[in-house]
């Protein structure tokens, strides 16, 4: 990065200020800041139990707190040894561990019975469903309680002092990027106090660990997830005008920004001009299976592959990095885009992961938004820092945002397709594949001026997305490759559809500013259509798993459940849950609920679908 002499003092002063701020905000806690547990992180005990496949899901074991002090647990394992029988391993686990998630304690949450969003829903069936869905927040809100642990007993949870919303299903803790969409829904449901508690928990984590881990378990301490914390603070502040929280958040967001810059920055050379730019990629240093997916990772990397140690460590790093992206896993990160017919567990395609060599458009859009928002907040003197310090930081963030936008346009923008694409360091070229990740810049505003003011370009930004929506009746797919990986066709995911809809609305506003006749481009109509598909998918998935509304909608015959909200959907059929991946489809579901409430709050005129004909 080249700076003029006049800007260098601003840069170095700002970096120094950030370093001082980090030092000042360091916690006095004596807690370990890395995953070094011989039970939950690495070692013979973890390997032996997980490869014995005592449970169908590897995550089950590492979510089980101990019944006995950790040193006694390790001694009990040493007594049976690494070559113990399956029955002996099962007995060891039963004798020494509580059930998974015992630390998770429900919180009594009084929901707002009739939030204003219900008044926007005219259809009686959908209004009844939304009213029922509003109470799901109470079923997903928890706190950690480890008071049952004996002296010396341990749990894999990362302690927090406030309540939180979990996604649901196997996810017995809160997660980073999921929580943005949860918070959006909580605000629409008029539960700002719960949203604030979640944000404060995240700020505590960054203050203590120096970054925001993937989730609230010790085995997530080696990686983060898409950096949505700035977006959480922004959407919460816009809704509540809570100056105190914003003032607290800004220096902690500075700290998170430094984490991403220090650990994920990479030089990218424009193949057209040879000019070098600084952008970011996901990058996790990891040399062993992820504890929560131990069996699956081990089979992928070491079962008959014949890899040398360098290849083994590289693939373990790419697997962990893939989890950090939030899209674990999909064809965005693999060299091979085709599934093998004899590979039901996707081991072969996962062996072609190249995650760390991909420069993702969504990550860099999020970091651009972080830079832009921090520039604005520092300029508005929302912190308690000296005016000169905030002013310097504001100028520095402005400069960083400008540089990033120039880099994104140079190496990620594709004029032929009117789209942003990931850039691949391995091929020194764009990955010209449709994914909704290309809509992040239009959602967040990371759009160069020459694109933002060009009607011709803007009118074609959603051509690829529109084409896929014309091909499938459901929501927008995450990719066009059917690889059996869960972030690929035929799956569509709530957060990506939220982002696509927001991007459509924003591009429509840009088109209006060009003052060109836009009769042939109805992006608001496309946005409403996608929102309708999403509401229909979520509603039918709920109805077909036992959902009912007294006096309005009878339960389907032979159903004993009461309706599920799924984490992902099959785009080929309305109301069918998604599939594929390392675990079975999960119900709950935090971000699906959040996006549903946002859709009801944003658009009007929804009509309940006939789920037997969709």
């Amino acid at each position: 990065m080249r700076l003029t002499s006049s800007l260098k003092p601003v840069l170095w002063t700002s970096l120094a200020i950030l370093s001082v701020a980090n030092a000042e905000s360091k916690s006095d806690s004596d807690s370990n800041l890395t995953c070094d547990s011989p039970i939950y992180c690495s070692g013979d005990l973890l390997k032996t139990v997980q490869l014995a496949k005592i449970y169908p899901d590897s995550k089950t074991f590492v979510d089980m707190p101990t019944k006995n002090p950790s040193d006694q647990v390790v001694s009990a394992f040493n007594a049976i040894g690494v070559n113990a029988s399956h029955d002996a391993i099962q007995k060891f686990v039963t004798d020494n561990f509580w059930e998974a998630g015992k630390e998770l304690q429900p919180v009594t949450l009084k929901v707002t019975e009739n939030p204003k969003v219900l008044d926007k829903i005219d259809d009686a069936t959908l209004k009844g469903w939304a009213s029922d869905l509003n109470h799901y927040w109470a079923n997903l809100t928890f706190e950690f309680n480890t008071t049952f642990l004996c002296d010396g007993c341990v749990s894999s949870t990362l302690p927090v002092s406030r309540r939180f919303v979990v996604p649901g299903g196997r996810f017995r803790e809160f997660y980073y990027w999921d929580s943005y969409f949860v918070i959006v829904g909580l605000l629409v449901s008029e539960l700002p106090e719960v949203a604030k508690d979640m944000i404060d928990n995240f700020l505590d984590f960054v203050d203590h660990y120096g970054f925001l881990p993937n989730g609230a378990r010790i085995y997530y301490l080696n990686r983060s997830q898409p950096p949505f914390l700035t977006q959480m603070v922004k959407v919460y502040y816009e809704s509540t005008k809570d100056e105190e929280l914003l003032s607290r958040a800004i220096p902690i967001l500075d700290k998170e920004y430094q984490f991403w810059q220090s650990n994920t920055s990479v030089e990218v050379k424009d193949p057209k001009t040879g000019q070098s730019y600084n952008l970011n990629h996901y990058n996790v240093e990891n040399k062993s299976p992820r504890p929560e997916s131990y069996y699956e990772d081990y089979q992928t990397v070491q079962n008959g592959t014949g890899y040398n140690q360098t290849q083994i460590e590289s693939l373990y790093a790419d697997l962990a990095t893939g989890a950090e992206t939030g899209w674990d896993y999909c064809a965005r990160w693999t060299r091979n885009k085709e599934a093998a017919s004899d590979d039901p567990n996707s081991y072969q395609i996962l062996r072609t992961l190249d995650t760390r060599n991909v420069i993702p458009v969504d990550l860099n859009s999020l970091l651009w938004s972080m830079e832009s928002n921090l520039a604005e907040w520092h300029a508005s003197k929302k912190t308690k820092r000296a005016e000169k310090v905030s002013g310097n930081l504001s100028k520095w963030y402005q400069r960083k945002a400008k540089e990033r936008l120039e880099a994104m346009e140079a190496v990620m923008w594709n004029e032929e397709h009117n789209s942003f694409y990931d850039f691949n360091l391995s091929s020194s070229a764009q990955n010209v594949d449709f994914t909704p990740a290309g809509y992040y810049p239009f959602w967040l505003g990371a759009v160069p001026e020459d694109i933002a003011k060009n009607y011709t370009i803007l009118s074609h930004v959603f051509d690829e997305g529109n084409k896929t929506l014309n091909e499938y009746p459901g929501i927008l797919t995450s990719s066009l490759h059917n690889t059996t990986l869960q972030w690929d066709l035929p799956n569509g995911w709530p957060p990506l559809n939220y982002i696509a809809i927001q991007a459509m609305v924003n591009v429509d506003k840009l088109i209006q500013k060009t003052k060109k006749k836009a009769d042939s481009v109805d992006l608001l109509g496309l946005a409403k259509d996608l929102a309708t598909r999403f509401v229909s998918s979520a509603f039918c998935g709920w109805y077909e798993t036992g959902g009912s509304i007294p006096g309005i909608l009878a339960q389907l015959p032979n159903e004993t459940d009461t309706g599920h909200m799924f984490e992902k959907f099959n785009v080929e059929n309305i109301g069918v849950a998604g599939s594929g991946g390392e675990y079975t489809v999960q119900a709950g579901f935090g971000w699906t609920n959040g996006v549903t409430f946002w859709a009801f709050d944003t658009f009007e005129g929804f009509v309940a679908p006939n789920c037997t004909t969709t």
Side-chain angles (χ1 to χ4, degrees), residues 64-259:
M64 299 170 70
T66 65
K67 293 179 179 178
N68 303 308
S70 59
D71 57 344
Q72 293 183 24
V73 173
V74 172
S75 294
F77 170 74
N78 290 336
I80 64 170
V82 295
N83 296 315
S85 67
H86 188 277
D87 287 347
I89 297 170
Q90 177 70 76
K91 184 177 186 305
F92 160 73
V93 172
T94 302
D95 289 347
N96 288 280
F97 293 87
W98 297 106
E99 67 271 18
K102 185 176 174 63
E103 319 94 326
L104 205 59
Q105 178 172 290
V107 171
T108 301
L109 175 65
K110 182 175 175 56
V111 301
T112 303
E113 285 296 335
N114 292 293
K116 294 182 180 64
V117 66
L118 296 183
D119 296 333
K120 296 184 176 183
I121 307 172
D122 295 326
D123 185 276
T125 299
L126 292 180
K127 180 176 287 190
W129 172 52
S131 179
D132 182 64
L133 186 60
N134 187 48
H135 289 83
Y136 279 35
W137 296 124
N139 301 329
L140 295 171
T141 304
F142 294 89
E143 61 185 4
F144 286 139
N145 181 0
T146 56
T147 57
F148 66 90
L149 291 175
C150 71
D151 186 23
C153 288
V154 293
S155 159
S156 64
T157 56
L158 298 177
V160 294
S161 56
R162 303 171 192 85
R163 59 193 167 174
F164 50 84
V165 176
V166 301
R170 74 195 281 267
F171 302 111
R172 309 173 187 93
E173 56 285 314
F174 57 83
Y175 283 78
Y176 186 175
W177 83 302
D178 297 56
S179 296
Y180 168 78
F181 305 95
V182 168
I183 286 168
V184 167
L186 289 172
L187 292 171
V188 174
S189 296
E190 299 174 24
L191 294 169
E193 298 86 358
V194 183
K196 183 177 188 296
D197 281 349
M198 294 183 69
I199 294 172
D200 274 324
N201 283 333
F202 290 140
L203 294 174
D204 288 346
F205 269 23
V206 177
D207 202 30
H208 184 64
Y209 299 110
F211 76 109
L212 191 42
N214 186 148
R217 294 277 176 180
I218 189 174
Y219 50 74
Y220 289 137
L221 280 176
N222 72 336
R223 66 180 188 261
S224 187
Q225 265 195 330
F228 269 79
L229 184 54
T230 299
Q231 304 308 315
M232 297 181 207
V233 172
K234 181 178 182 179
V235 73
Y236 173 81
Y237 178 72
E238 289 175 345
S239 175
T240 66
K241 305 304 178 188
D242 187 339
E243 299 282 351
E244 183 179 353
L245 182 130
L246 181 60
S247 179
R248 182 198 176 205
I250 293 170
I252 297 176
L253 293 172
D254 288 336
K255 188 173 187 176
E256 188 192 24
Y257 179 77
Q258 189 179 40
F259 163 80

Side-chain angles (χ1 to χ4, degrees), residues 231-507:
Q231 304 308 315
M232 297 181 207
V233 172
K234 181 178 182 179
V235 73
Y236 173 81
Y237 178 72
E238 289 175 345
S239 175
T240 66
K241 305 304 178 188
D242 187 339
E243 299 282 351
E244 183 179 353
L245 182 130
L246 181 60
S247 179
R248 182 198 176 205
I250 293 170
I252 297 176
L253 293 172
D254 288 336
K255 188 173 187 176
E256 188 192 24
Y257 179 77
Q258 189 179 40
F259 163 80
W260 285 97
Q261 289 301 90
S262 298
N263 293 280
T264 71
S265 294
V266 63
E267 183 179 278
V268 182
K269 184 172 288 188
D270 183 351
K272 301 184 295 292
T273 66
Q275 183 172 345
S276 292
Y277 298 94
N278 289 310
L279 286 168
N280 294 73
H281 65 150
Y282 291 105
N283 182 40
V284 179
E285 300 295 332
N286 185 60
K287 297 181 180 181
S288 59
R290 293 167 295 150
E292 79 283 4
S293 300
Y294 198 105
Y295 180 87
E296 296 80 6
D297 281 5
Y298 188 89
Q299 296 299 317
T300 299
V301 178
Q302 293 184 246
N303 186 4
T305 60
Y307 288 162
N308 61 37
Q309 191 61 30
T310 299
Q311 292 171 310
I312 287 171
E313 292 179 2
S314 178
L315 185 48
Y316 278 136
D318 274 320
L319 283 162
T321 301
E324 185 173 60
T325 72
W327 297 43
D328 43 335
Y329 295 95
C330 68
R332 284 182 73 188
W333 320 126
T334 60
R335 292 184 295 274
N336 185 359
K337 311 295 182 183
E338 302 294 330
S341 58
D342 59 346
D343 187 29
N345 296 305
S346 306
Y347 295 146
Q348 292 182 40
I349 194 168
L350 287 174
R351 289 168 187 156
T352 72
L353 279 170
D354 195 32
T355 326
R356 291 169 297 158
N357 280 316
V358 176
I359 310 300
V361 63
D362 42 357
L363 172 61
N364 283 280
S365 299
L366 287 164
L367 291 172
W368 177 90
S369 183
M370 187 185 296
E371 290 158 349
S372 299
N373 281 293
L374 285 171
E376 178 184 341
W377 291 336
H378 278 294
S380 63
K381 306 177 183 64
K382 297 292 186 182
T383 72
K384 296 178 182 178
R385 288 175 174 162
E387 183 174 339
K388 183 178 179 181
V389 171
S390 290
N392 284 344
L393 280 170
S394 178
K395 293 174 184 176
W396 184 61
Y397 280 122
Q398 288 174 21
R399 177 70 180 182
K400 298 297 289 184
K402 181 176 181 292
E403 291 171 350
R404 187 179 302 277
L405 200 59
E406 291 171 353
M408 290 175 64
E409 182 173 20
V411 302
M412 293 178 167
W413 177 250
N414 187 297
E415 293 182 356
E416 179 183 354
H417 295 278
N418 298 299
S419 296
F420 286 97
Y421 293 118
D422 299 332
F423 188 85
N424 195 303
L425 296 175
S426 296
S427 62
S428 295
Q430 293 173 350
N431 288 342
V432 184
D433 274 326
F434 167 76
T435 77
Y439 295 148
Y440 269 72
F442 298 100
W443 167 45
L444 294 168
V447 183
E449 188 174 354
D450 57 324
I451 296 173
K453 292 184 176 181
N454 189 315
Y455 167 78
T456 302
I457 291 175
L458 295 173
S459 64
H460 291 288
V461 164
F462 294 97
D463 284 359
E464 289 183 287
N466 196 22
K467 182 180 178 181
T468 65
L469 289 174
N470 286 332
E471 188 170 351
Y472 302 105
I475 62 175
L476 191 62
T477 182
S478 303
S479 89
L480 299 180
H481 298 283
N482 193 339
T483 63
T484 72
L485 301 175
Q486 68 169 345
W487 284 83
D488 283 328
L489 192 71
N491 292 336
W493 291 78
L496 301 184
N497 280 262
Y498 166 95
I499 287 160
I501 295 167
Q502 291 268 45
M504 291 170 186
V505 172
N506 289 347
V507 172

